[in-house]
């Protein structure tokens, strides 16, 4: 059973097709922030937090031994539903825990 603290992030979960679609949509924003191009950009794991919209914390395999932790905010549909990258951490490994940052 997934444990959720009221207002907090969910426990880590395996990435879904929907999470991969979010990653695909914000890949350009991540590349702009990191000044790198990624041939591989595969979501592995994620956590979410419901606010006035949804915050996602996603572990992404970016090729080789490169892993990113990316924070994405998805606005509510009534506010356009846009997705924006709010933070990127580079230099992670496949074993690093997903911990919220930059909030």
């Amino acid at each position: 059973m997934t444990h959720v603290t009221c207002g907090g992030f969910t426990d880590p979960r395996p990435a879904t097709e929907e999470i991969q679609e979010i990653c695909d949509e914000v890949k350009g924003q991540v590349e702009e922030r990191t000044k790198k191009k990624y041939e591989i950009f595969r979501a592995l794991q994620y956590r979410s937090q419901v606010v006035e919209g949804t915050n996602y914390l996603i572990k992404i395999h970016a090729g080789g031994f490169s892993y990113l932790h990316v924070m994405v905010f998805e606005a509510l549909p009534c506010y356009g539903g846009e997705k924006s990258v709010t933070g990127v951490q580079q230099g992670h490994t496949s074993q690093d825990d997903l911990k919220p940052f930059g909030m």
Side-chain angles (χ1 to χ4, degrees):
M1 179 175 194
T2 299
H3 177 265
V4 178
T5 302
C6 187
F9 276 88
T10 61
D11 289 335
R13 306 176 198 170
T16 63
E17 190 174 310
E18 177 185 8
I19 297 301
Q20 183 61 54
E21 288 172 5
I22 291 170
C23 288
D24 294 343
E25 190 171 329
V26 301
K27 181 181 177 189
Q29 292 179 51
V30 173
E31 289 177 336
E32 192 173 297
R33 282 178 174 246
T34 62
K35 309 277 191 261
K36 297 180 182 177
K37 293 286 184 192
Y38 300 103
E39 288 186 34
I40 296 172
F41 203 73
R42 188 171 60 108
L44 301 175
Q45 198 177 49
Y46 78 103
R47 298 175 71 181
S48 61
Q49 175 189 40
V50 175
V51 289
E52 276 193 51
T54 305
N55 285 315
Y56 294 97
L57 173 55
I58 308 168
K59 180 185 292 188
I60 298 171
H61 180 224
F65 296 104
S66 180
Y67 293 83
L68 306 171
H69 289 185
V70 177
M71 295 283 298
V72 176
F73 175 72
E74 180 179 18
L76 291 170
C78 61
Y79 297 116
E82 284 189 48
K83 296 168 189 73
S84 56
V85 173
T86 58
V88 177
Q89 288 185 336
Q90 301 178 73
H92 282 283
T93 70
S94 62
Q95 302 303 312
D96 289 347
D97 290 334
L98 275 173
K99 296 179 184 174
F101 63 91
M103 299 181 64

